[in-house]
């Protein structure tokens, strides 16, 4: 069943026979029923972690408990997550990055493609929407220390602005330049540098001193926002580039 | 309490539907949709478990936030691999030399 | 109190219906649109569960970016499928 991946649409989208489907349904229904019974009969976990997090909130440097957990108490998770994102980005990077094509002129990250005509209504909308999305992203980043919001949300909103630009087709993104690659890895680099500095100051990795915690978290969050936005945008643009080789060709 | 239980059960049902879809569906995009549905089910169980009356546990929230971002990265990688596979399989060479 | 319970039950039933529908509808495009709707509905559930951080992330990533990625990839797979069908219909007759 996992051997053959179907990529074309068939009439009925089932890769199994009716009998196998039925057996699978029975097994999964039993499993779900067992899990539901387990949830009903078992008590909830004691809220130890919640009270622990709340007690230590004033030493974390931020006021939003989720941000405190993400970037202070459990910052290993976030460090590794940014590393995972970077690995995916490296996997998806366009081939030209490794082929050593030096004939291409060094373009800027965002270049305007005047040949492509867009609907004036769409162009007018984007003129407002993209700065607004950047503003919202910056606001989410800043508010993350006090209220719901933070690096991931801000990065996603900024990447959304880039996706809108890319879909309109009037702008091209270039991933070949060194500065873009530095931008992609900025979050991980800054995170590691801050951890190393912290190690020099306190002797412990990723356990910030109370007086510097707010500053460290802010630095990491700004860098992480930039990288997350760039990586999410890279994922979309690369998928779109595979999806439209013809159009990518005529914009060169 | 009833609200948490309701959403826990909903999460498990979503997980079951997603699991069925991952195994039974043939189309790669439908498999990925089912995989993401499974993820949503897990997140829902976690977030329902995070509520203790008045206090809300921030640790599962942080875990789910991490999970959402990693899930989208994994989905993008899967789609990219599927498209590359299809390029290799395609009988008509479309790529310019 | 009753209104809240009704809202919760409708939301829970809604996400289960959307998830099941996205598996059984015939067209993949419909399934993708249903998945995006599922993401938006789940966002409302996260706010019901007081998970505001997660709700913002889900609205931006789960519903927005994942949907865009799936749609872009779907278009490519779909276009290729048409091309393949045409070329192979000319070469070797029908193909299931």
């Amino acid at each position: 069943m996992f051997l053959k991946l179907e990529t074309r649409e068939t009439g009925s989208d089932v890769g199994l026979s009716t009998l196998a489907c039925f057996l699978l349904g029975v097994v999964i229904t039993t499993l779900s029923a067992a899990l539901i019974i387990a949830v009903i009969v078992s008590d909830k976990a004691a809220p130890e972690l919640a009270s622990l997090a709340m007690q230590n909130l004033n030493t974390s440097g931020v006021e939003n408990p989720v941000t405190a957990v993400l970037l202070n108490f459990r910052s290993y998770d976030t460090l590794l997550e940014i590393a995972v994102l970077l690995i995916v980005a490296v996997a998806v990077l366009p081939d030209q990055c490794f082929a050593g094509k030096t004939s291409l002129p060094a373009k800027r990250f965002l270049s305007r493609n005047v040949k492509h005509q867009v609907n004036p209504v769409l162009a007018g909308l984007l003129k407002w929407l993209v700065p607004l999305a950047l503003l919202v992203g910056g606001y989410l980043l800043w508010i993350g220390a006090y209220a719901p919001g933070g690096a991931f949300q801000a990065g996603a909103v900024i990447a959304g602005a880039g996706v809108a630009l890319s879909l309109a087709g009037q702008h091209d993104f270039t991933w070949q330049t060194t500065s873009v690659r530095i931008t992609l890895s900025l979050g991980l680099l800054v995170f590691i540098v801050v951890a190393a500095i912290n190690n020099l100051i306190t002797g412990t990795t990723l356990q910030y001193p109370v007086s510097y915690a707010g500053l460290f978290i802010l630095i990491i969050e700004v860098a992480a926002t930039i990288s997350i936005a760039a990586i999410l945008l890279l994922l979309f643009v690369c998928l779109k580039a595979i999806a439209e080789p013809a159009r990518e060709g005529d914009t060169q | 309490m009833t609200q948490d239980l309701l959403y826990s059960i909903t999460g498990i049902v979503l997980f079951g539907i997603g699991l069925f879809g991952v195994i039974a569906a043939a189309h790669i995009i439908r498999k990925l949709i089912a995989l993401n549905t499974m993820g949503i089910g897990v997140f829902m169980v976690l977030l329902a478990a995070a509520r203790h009356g008045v206090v809300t546990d921030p640790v599962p929230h942080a875990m789910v936030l991490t999970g959402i971002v990693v899930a989208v990265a994994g989905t993008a990688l899967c789609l990219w691999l599927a498209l590359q596979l299809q390029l290799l399989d395609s009988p008509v060479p479309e790529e310019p030399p | 109190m009753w209104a809240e319970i009704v809202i919760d039950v409708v939301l829970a039933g809604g996400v289960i219906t959307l998830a099941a529908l996205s598996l059984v509808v015939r067209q993949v495009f419909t399934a993708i649109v249903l998945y995006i709707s599922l993401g938006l509905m789940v966002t409302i559930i996260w706010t019901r569960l007081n998970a505001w951080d997660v709700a913002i992330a889900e609205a931006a990533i789960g519903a927005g970016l994942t949907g865009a990625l799936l749609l872009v990839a779907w278009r490519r797979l779909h276009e290729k499928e048409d091309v393949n069908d045409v070329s192979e219909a000319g070469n070797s007759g029908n193909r299931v």
Side-chain angles (χ1 to χ4, degrees):
Chain A
M1 61 191 160
F2 290 114
L3 291 180
K4 185 170 177 300
L5 275 181
E6 193 64 54
T7 52
R8 54 177 60 225
E9 285 189 53
T10 47
S12 66
D13 193 17
V14 181
L16 301 175
S17 66
T18 318
L19 178 67
C21 257
F22 177 74
L23 284 178
L24 183 67
V26 169
V27 169
I28 287 178
T29 313
T30 320
L31 179 69
S32 303
L35 283 173
I36 289 172
I37 292 169
V39 164
I40 291 174
V41 297
S42 63
D43 291 330
K44 278 205 158 177
E48 286 168 22
L49 276 178
S51 48
L52 209 61
M54 291 303 172
Q55 279 165 16
N56 292 310
L57 193 57
N58 52 359
T59 67
S60 71
V62 288
E63 288 168 33
N64 179 9
V66 178
T67 306
V69 172
L70 267 178
L71 286 159
N72 197 334
F73 306 146
R74 302 280 311 159
S75 44
Y76 271 112
D77 288 357
T78 312
L79 175 65
L80 293 177
E81 178 196 1
I82 294 175
V84 165
L85 275 179
L86 186 63
I87 290 169
V88 173
V90 169
V92 179
L93 266 180
D95 296 341
Q96 293 98 313
C97 292
F98 305 110
K101 276 191 185 176
T102 47
S103 61
L104 276 173
K107 288 204 289 186
R108 292 170 62 195
F109 170 60
L110 185 68
S111 57
R112 204 173 166 81
N113 174 17
V114 281
K115 270 184 277 179
H116 192 261
Q117 294 290 321
V118 282
N119 188 336
V121 178
L122 179 60
L125 176 70
L126 281 178
K127 206 177 270 179
W128 283 96
L129 197 63
V130 172
L132 199 64
L134 290 179
L135 191 68
V136 170
Y139 172 75
L140 279 174
L141 173 62
W142 170 78
I143 201 74
Y146 315 98
F152 298 115
Q153 292 90 338
V157 170
I158 294 172
V163 168
L165 269 185
S166 160
L167 278 177
Q170 217 179 6
H171 293 82
D172 292 328
F173 297 94
T174 313
W175 305 99
Q176 274 88 336
T177 55
T178 315
S179 58
V180 172
R181 281 183 242 174
I182 292 175
T183 310
L184 289 176
S185 45
L186 188 69
L188 189 62
L189 287 177
V190 168
F191 214 134
I192 292 173
V193 165
V194 167
I197 292 174
N198 189 52
N199 208 343
L200 288 180
I201 297 177
T202 64
T204 55
T205 313
L206 292 176
Q207 211 168 44
Y208 314 128
V210 179
S211 48
Y212 290 112
L215 179 68
F216 282 178
I217 288 178
L218 187 68
I219 293 174
I220 293 174
E221 273 206 299
V222 170
T225 304
I226 295 172
S227 299
I228 289 169
I231 290 172
L232 291 177
L233 183 59
L234 168 78
L235 297 180
F236 179 82
V237 172
C238 285
L239 271 185
K240 189 162 168 280
I242 308 177
E244 295 169 341
R247 243 212 57 216
E248 287 291 310
D250 69 29
T251 56
Q252 292 291 323
Chain B
M1 191 63 212
T2 48
Q3 192 197 22
D4 305 349
L5 200 60
L6 173 71
Y7 283 128
S8 296
I9 293 172
T10 311
I12 293 170
V13 173
L14 280 182
F15 181 84
I17 293 174
L19 188 58
F20 184 84
V22 167
I23 299 174
H27 197 280
I28 175 72
I29 287 183
R30 218 181 278 254
K31 263 192 205 298
L32 280 176
I33 288 177
L35 198 67
N36 277 301
T37 310
M38 270 173 88
I40 288 176
V42 174
F43 298 155
M44 201 175 282
V45 174
L46 270 176
L47 288 183
R51 282 162 54 93
H52 301 283
V54 194
V55 197
T56 306
D57 192 349
V59 179
H61 287 203
M63 283 163 71
V64 170
L65 212 50
T66 313
I68 289 176
V69 178
V70 171
V72 73
T75 308
L77 188 60
C78 280
L79 287 172
W80 185 81
L81 287 174
L83 286 177
Q84 293 287 345
L85 265 180
Q86 208 201 19
L87 279 181
L88 289 179
D89 279 348
S90 97
V92 190
E94 276 198 340
E95 294 291 290
Chain C
M1 187 63 205
W2 272 106
E4 290 194 352
I5 291 177
V6 170
I7 291 173
D8 285 335
V9 170
V10 168
L11 283 173
V15 291
I16 291 175
T17 315
L18 282 175
L21 272 180
S22 73
L23 285 185
V24 298
V25 288
R26 293 180 77 85
Q27 285 181 318
V28 174
F29 178 76
T30 323
I32 296 174
V33 174
L34 283 169
Y35 175 73
I36 297 173
S37 322
L38 172 68
L40 290 173
M41 206 163 202
V42 161
T43 306
I44 307 177
I45 291 183
W46 296 162
T47 65
R48 294 283 306 145
L49 288 170
N50 280 341
W52 298 92
D53 292 87
V54 183
I56 299 171
E58 178 80 37
I61 298 178
L65 266 174
T66 310
L69 290 172
L70 289 171
L71 280 174
V72 157
W74 168 80
R75 191 163 123 204
R76 171 60 164 176
L77 295 172
H78 197 68
E79 276 172 1
K80 291 287 293 185
E81 175 192 327
D82 292 345
V83 170
N84 290 355
D85 283 350
V86 169
S87 64
E88 282 167 21
N91 291 340
S92 59
N94 60 344
R95 168 173 167 166
V96 180

